[in-house]
Amino acid sequence: MAKKYNWAILGCGKIARKFSNDLKLLPNANLYAAASRSLKNAKDFANELGYEKAFGSYQEMVNDPDVDIVYIATPHSFHLEHTLLCLNHKKAVLCEKAFAMNSKEVKKMISASKENNTFLMEAFWTIFQPQFLKMNEIVKSKELGDLKFIKSDFMFNAEFDPNKRLYNIDLGAGSLLDIGIYPIFTSLFFLGKPFKIKTIANIRSTGVEDSITMLFGYKNGAMSVLTSSFESSCKNETELCFENGFIKVERKLAEPILMNKNGSDQFVDYDTISGEGYELEASHVMECLDNDLIESPVLPLSFSLDLMEILDAVRKDAGIIFPNHD
Ligand SMILES: NC(=O)c1ccc[n+]([C@@H]2O[C@H](COP(=O)([O-])OP(=O)(O)OC[C@H]3O[C@@H](n4cnc5c(N)ncnc54)[C@H](OP(=O)(O)O)[C@@H]3O)[C@@H](O)[C@H]2O)c1
């Protein structure tokens, strides 16, 4: 019989709620503990989502010997601190994106995982989605020839509020780490690390970037044009352009993939899933633990470090500074 794992949530906010609803779909996941800075928030969250225990501090939760896996869902600026807290208490960690604020922090997290011989993975859920897996299948098949160009956008209009996570510089604000990371992920996954990066960013008087356009150049001549913004909305599409056609997907996960081959269109379906998609990464973590792994073979820590190194390079080119993390 499959081992059942006790999951704990660290930071009871918006994404933790969505993640918990998907966790309920997994028979080997036990919704064990909710940990918040406030006991009331932890109790409300635990009652609403069905966690057995509620803790009014993150420290109390990691002190509980029965916690197996912690899902870290705090703002990016706390990911290093909270990951170290959990790993140093030998709790397996699934930590939200952006994995940290910069690559120095990611390296510390990787070292802590190795020193404690304890599992660590970035919660980059996209890599487990059937839509993404199907895109990868098409790329690898070379049915459309070589991949030459990627265009990928992620935008939504977020009202300016310097106290909220998206615009609070102390919490790692800006569109880049919050949503620009997705188009960058796509470019890294399919084309690797770029050798040339050019950017244009809009930086507000508070120091927070709210829109950015990035151009990536690759040694084989491939290119990516990537954007993110809290200032406007768009269709939020990703287009992979090949020698003999293209594939196009919307960020909405249920949409089929549009494939154009030699000028003719067709739609490509992929497997459906029962949750919002977060159950796939959670299930993968437990599969890794079943196999005594401390790192995912699907989303290795070297990939997360590469991703953060690109984010660092983009920030350098664009002049985006996080005062307490640079
Ligand atoms: N994978 C995805 O699809 C996805 C989607 C959205 C967000 N995310 C990522 O998930 C993380 C959290 O995003 P979210 O939208 O869930 O944020 P959120 O609603 O603001 O929740 C963050 C939680 O972190 C805790 N926290 C600890 N210190 C804090 C501080 N100083 N200020 C504010 N909150 C603090 C709070 O929980 P307590 O008060 O309970 O301690 C808060 O509820 C971010 O890194 C974000 O990039 C991922």
Side-chain angles (χ1 to χ4, degrees):
M1 206 174 68
K3 177 175 162 38
K4 215 165 175 176
Y5 292 92
N6 281 339
W7 282 80
I9 299 295
L10 192 158
C12 302
K14 286 195 278 299
I15 193 64
R17 180 167 277 102
K18 284 191 182 184
F19 179 86
S20 300
N21 277 321
D22 277 358
L23 206 52
K24 290 183 197 169
L25 302 169
L26 304 174
N28 55 340
N30 184 35
L31 277 69
Y32 179 68
S36 167
R37 294 165 301 167
S38 124
L39 184 57
K40 181 182 177 322
N41 194 32
K43 280 187 173 165
D44 289 349
F45 189 92
N47 287 339
E48 177 192 333
L49 292 147
Y51 284 88
E52 291 172 24
K53 286 191 170 183
F55 292 103
S57 79
Y58 304 150
Q59 181 67 54
E60 283 172 78
M61 180 272 288
V62 293
N63 288 344
D64 183 328
D66 291 331
V67 170
D68 297 314
I69 311 170
V70 180
Y71 170 64
I72 296 178
T74 49
H76 332 311
S77 54
F78 296 103
H79 289 175
L80 168 67
E81 178 189 331
H82 295 150
T83 295
L84 297 190
L85 176 73
C86 296
L87 291 175
N88 290 337
H89 285 78
K90 310 278 187 209
K91 307 298 184 197
V93 170
L94 174 64
C95 177
E96 260 309 334
K97 46 56 62 182
F99 209 23
M101 296 292 283
N102 57 49
S103 52
K104 261 192 247 162
E105 294 189 357
V106 171
K107 283 178 187 161
K108 285 184 192 165
M109 290 156 68
I110 294 174
S111 298
S113 162
K114 295 201 177 1
E115 280 156 21
N116 287 292
N117 194 30
T118 301
F119 183 86
L120 173 63
M121 189 181 93
E122 183 174 8
F124 217 108
W125 67 318
T126 317
I127 208 165
F128 301 101
Q129 301 310 315
Q131 183 197 58
F132 190 79
L133 297 176
K134 182 56 83 176
M135 284 164 72
N136 192 27
E137 214 177 285
I138 296 169
V139 174
K140 281 195 162 153
S141 74
K142 300 254 180 194
E143 191 181 345
L144 301 174
D146 284 337
L147 176 62
K148 295 289 187 185
F149 221 100
I150 295 181
K151 299 189 256 178
S152 186
D153 306 315
F154 200 160
M155 302 181 190
F156 59 85
N157 200 320
E159 200 188 327
F160 181 69
D161 181 347
N163 298 315
K164 292 235 170 93
R165 188 177 70 73
L166 299 184
Y167 282 111
N168 181 340
I169 193 109
D170 296 330
L171 302 182
S175 80
L176 179 66
L177 264 57
D178 204 67
I179 49 178
I181 191 171
Y182 289 99
I184 295 177
F185 163 86
T186 304
S187 191
L188 172 62
F189 186 88
F190 289 116
L191 292 172
K193 276 178 108 174
F195 89 108
K196 209 185 239 180
I197 292 177
K198 299 267 181 217
T199 66
I200 300 176
N202 192 35
I203 298 178
R204 289 187 180 241
S205 56
T206 54
V208 172
E209 159 275 315
D210 61 26
S211 302
I212 185 161
T213 298
M214 301 161 270
L215 301 179
F216 288 2
Y218 289 88
K219 288 216 165 117
N220 65 357
M223 293 177 205
S224 297
V225 184
L226 316 169
T227 64
S228 63
S229 178
F230 290 152
E231 285 253 278
S232 51
S233 47
C234 73
K235 235 180 156 194
N236 287 330
E237 287 176 331
T238 293
E239 191 172 350
L240 305 189
C241 311
F242 304 80
E243 291 164 305
N244 307 317
F246 60 86
I247 54 175
K248 207 174 194 181
V249 293
E250 281 190 50
R251 213 158 279 286
K252 283 187 221 142
L253 288 178
E255 296 297 319
I257 298 169
L258 169 66
M259 179 159 105
N260 179 289
K261 188 174 173 184
N262 297 321
S264 358
D265 283 348
Q266 65 180 93
F267 285 99
V268 180
D269 285 325
Y270 45 87
D271 296 342
T272 51
I273 50 174
S274 42
E276 280 200 61
Y278 301 103
E279 75 278 17
L280 303 171
E281 59 181 359
S283 175
H284 178 70
V285 171
M286 294 189 286
E287 199 184 314
C288 289
L289 296 181
D290 282 342
N291 289 295
D292 295 322
L293 300 178
I294 65 159
E295 184 172 355
S296 159
V298 176
L299 184 52
L301 294 166
S302 59
F303 185 91
S304 294
L305 182 59
D306 284 348
L307 182 57
M308 191 54 72
E309 283 174 350
I310 298 174
L311 288 164
D312 285 355
V314 166
R315 287 202 298 115
K316 193 169 174 206
D317 189 79
I320 300 166
I321 293 164
F322 294 120
N324 303 320
H325 294 266
D326 271 313

